[in-house]
């Protein structure tokens, strides 16, 4: 799932600090920009601490490249947080291939009303994410270890997000099946957004998408706005194959409940 991450050297990638010609010593991310207070509100202090954790433990564990530390605020934390502009209130969101928690944790900080699941297959990354969630006291965040393909029928959300995980069509194949009907996938794609969308239109339609576009968020807030591919699903997110897998998982769940109920009835002792 992390081919593009590793190639790009972005947060979420497995980065060897020595490979960049730098030691893994602590580097300061710098003072938070004034706009961060506006974006994070009363969770500003938690956002500052998260950025410090990215710059220290994140670098030491190879989740963040050392060269990214001086630009953590502008290029990464705030760049992800403005995704919150696109989210309705009270929704559920899954951040696929969350890595170091981008964009899921900045979004959760900016929008405490949104329930966020950080989905990540690698143990040492989920360990880092769990430590961050505990330290920041993020009650609206759950860390889940696993691959998106394994969660079809087990996890259903209103919005799927991803950043630097995979090319758009492959990402949609992982993320769209996790959506509820009429949900949306938001993929941070930068300068490649338009081309990836052009190359993926036919595949998106097969995956149950009914509308797609490239939009910018953070305009008027950030010096450089964030480019996002927004893909809206119809009645059957992920297409026919995903619908079949969801139906099979639902039947398995009902059968398991029935068996448990039968065991409960037969296992009771008769009383007078």
């Amino acid at each position: 799932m992390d081919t593009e991450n590793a190639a790009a050297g972005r947060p979420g990638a497995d980065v060897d600090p020595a490979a960049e010609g730098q030691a893994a010593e602590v580097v300061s991310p710098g003072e938070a920009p004034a706009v961060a207070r506006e974006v994070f509100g009363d969770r500003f202090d938690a956002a500052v601490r998260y950025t410090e954790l990215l710059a220290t433990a994140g670098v030491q564990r190879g989740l963040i490249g050392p060269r990214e530390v001086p630009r953590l605020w502008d290029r990464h934390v705030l760049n992800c947080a403005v995704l919150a502009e696109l989210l309705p209130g009270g929704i559920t969101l899954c951040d696929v291939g969350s890595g170091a928690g981008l964009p899921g944790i900045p979004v959760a900080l900016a929008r405490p009303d949104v329930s966020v699941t950080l989905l990540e297959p690698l143990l040492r990354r989920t360990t880092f994410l769990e430590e961050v969630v505990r330290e920041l006291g993020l009650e609206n965040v759950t860390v889940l270890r696993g691959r998106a393909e394994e969660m079809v029928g087990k996890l259903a959300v209103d919005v799927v997000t991803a950043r630097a995980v995979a090319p758009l069509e492959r990402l949609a194949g992982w993320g769209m099946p996790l959506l509820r009907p009429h949900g949306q996938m938001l993929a941070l794609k930068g300068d490649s957004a338009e081309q990836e969308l052009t190359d993926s239109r036919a595949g998106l339609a097969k995956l149950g998408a009914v509308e797609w576009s490239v939009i910018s968020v953070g305009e008027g807030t950030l010096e450089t706005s964030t480019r996002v591919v927004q893909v809206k699903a119809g009645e059957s997110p992920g297409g026919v194959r995903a619908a079949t897998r969801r139906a099979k998982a639902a039947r398995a769940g009902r059968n398991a409940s029935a068996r448990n109920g039968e065991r409960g009835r037969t296992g009771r002792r008769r009383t007078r």
Side-chain angles (χ1 to χ4, degrees), residues 41-206:
D42 59 7
R43 284 188 163 184
F44 169 75
D45 289 342
V48 170
R49 182 56 183 146
Y50 173 57
T51 306
E52 291 172 348
L53 290 169
L54 289 176
T56 54
V59 171
Q60 292 158 5
R61 299 187 193 186
L63 302 180
I64 297 291
R67 292 177 182 173
E68 295 302 311
V69 172
R71 50 191 180 185
L72 276 175
W73 276 109
D74 293 333
R75 185 176 177 183
H76 302 299
V77 176
L78 288 169
N79 177 270
C80 290
V82 293
L83 199 63
E85 296 177 11
L86 301 176
L87 304 178
I91 63 159
T92 56
L93 180 151
C94 178
D95 187 28
V96 171
S98 193
L102 298 164
I105 289 179
V107 168
L109 286 166
R111 290 289 300 274
D113 63 310
V114 172
S115 179
V116 175
T117 297
L118 306 177
L119 181 60
E120 169 57 48
L122 297 185
L123 176 60
R124 70 186 172 82
R125 294 183 188 174
T126 56
T127 298
F128 172 79
L129 294 173
E130 288 167 349
E131 291 171 359
V132 169
V133 168
R134 281 196 301 271
E135 179 158 345
L136 301 186
L138 296 178
E139 296 182 356
N140 62 322
V141 178
T142 300
V143 178
L144 182 60
R145 185 183 175 198
R147 298 184 179 279
E149 309 95 290
E150 303 165 348
M151 298 298 159
V152 180
K154 302 175 184 178
L155 179 66
V157 296
D158 301 303
V159 175
V160 164
T161 59
R163 182 178 192 244
V165 172
L168 181 61
E169 188 169 345
R170 194 190 318 163
L171 172 62
W174 295 331
M176 295 286 288
L178 302 181
L179 291 173
R180 294 191 175 107
H182 307 292
Q184 61 177 326
M185 184 179 75
L186 303 173
L188 283 72
K189 282 295 179 181
D191 294 337
S192 69
E194 282 84 358
Q195 187 59 54
E196 287 199 49
L197 186 54
T198 297
D199 295 342
S200 304
R201 292 175 187 273
L204 292 175
K206 291 179 181 178

Side-chain angles (χ1 to χ4, degrees), residues 241-261:
R241 184 174 300 178
T244 302
R245 291 178 63 185
R246 285 193 291 266
K248 183 182 294 186
R251 286 196 301 273
R254 289 194 296 269
N255 291 340
S257 297
R259 288 194 298 272
N260 289 337

